[in-house]
Amino acid sequence: SRMYKRVGAMPIDLAHALAGRYSLIGLDESPNGYGSTSDRAEKVREVYYPDVGKLFPKAWRYAMVAVVFVNGNIPPHKDAPLPAGVQRYHLVLRTNPQCWSLHGGAWEQLEEGGIYTMDCTKTHAAINWGADPRVHLVIDTTEFKV
């Protein structure tokens, strides 16, 4: 079964407009071509909430931007369980046909503009063999409005 479940979408032009905003926050970059804003959740909310807050109106318990650069990867890992009632959402702001995500043993491609839920306690990873970075906005919250 798929780990990511598509629960909605945003216009692709909005997704693309939001994709580069991570430069306003700053990334922590790893040697394997992955960057995230993992320690700056409040800054992520400040930069992105004006455009996606209607979709996620309740408090954001956590938020980050995850970027997989060209020829980069996120190694397989599991995350800690989320508190009861909290769901993790991935907003795919930019991707390409050579970008893949591994979920529970299966490779998938997520669509630009797609909004997906996931079980972060299952093994997941990503790789980008394409010509453009893959950019996801990740939000942990208690409410999503289609």
Side-chain angles (χ1 to χ4, degrees):
S1 69
R2 292 186 156 211
M3 182 178 189
Y4 281 94
K5 178 183 175 189
R6 188 176 171 129
V7 295
M10 65 172 46
I12 291 176
D13 59 338
L14 175 59
H16 286 180
L18 297 175
R21 287 198 190 163
Y22 65 83
S23 63
L24 302 173
I25 304 164
L27 293 176
D28 295 326
E29 295 187 36
S30 71
N32 58 336
Y34 165 64
S36 76
T37 61
S38 59
D39 63 344
R40 292 180 289 285
E42 285 305 314
K43 184 68 175 173
V44 173
R45 188 182 190 286
E46 177 185 311
V47 169
Y48 286 94
Y49 189 83
D51 292 293
V52 299
K54 288 181 183 172
L55 295 171
F56 304 94
K58 297 292 184 185
W60 295 12
R61 294 189 54 104
Y62 181 74
M64 75 169 183
V65 179
V67 181
V68 182
F69 296 102
V70 174
N71 294 317
N73 69 83
I74 300 172
H77 66 283
K78 295 178 182 180
D79 298 323
L82 298 172
V86 176
Q87 180 66 57
R88 175 157 295 162
Y89 296 91
H90 277 243
L91 285 68
V92 181
L93 302 181
R94 186 168 294 279
T95 191
N96 66 70
Q98 289 79 40
C99 193
W100 293 85
S101 297
L102 176 69
H103 309 295
W107 288 98
E108 296 180 54
Q109 289 183 299
L110 305 181
E111 297 176 36
E112 280 190 340
I115 301 169
Y116 297 84
T117 59
M118 65 161 321
D119 179 351
C120 62
T121 65
K122 295 191 179 186
T123 300
H124 52 285
I127 194 158
N128 181 3
W129 289 305
D132 299 302
R134 183 211 83 164
V135 183
H136 284 197
L137 174 59
V138 180
I139 300 170
D140 293 352
T141 188
T142 57
E143 186 177 341
F144 168 66
K145 295 185 174 188
V146 179

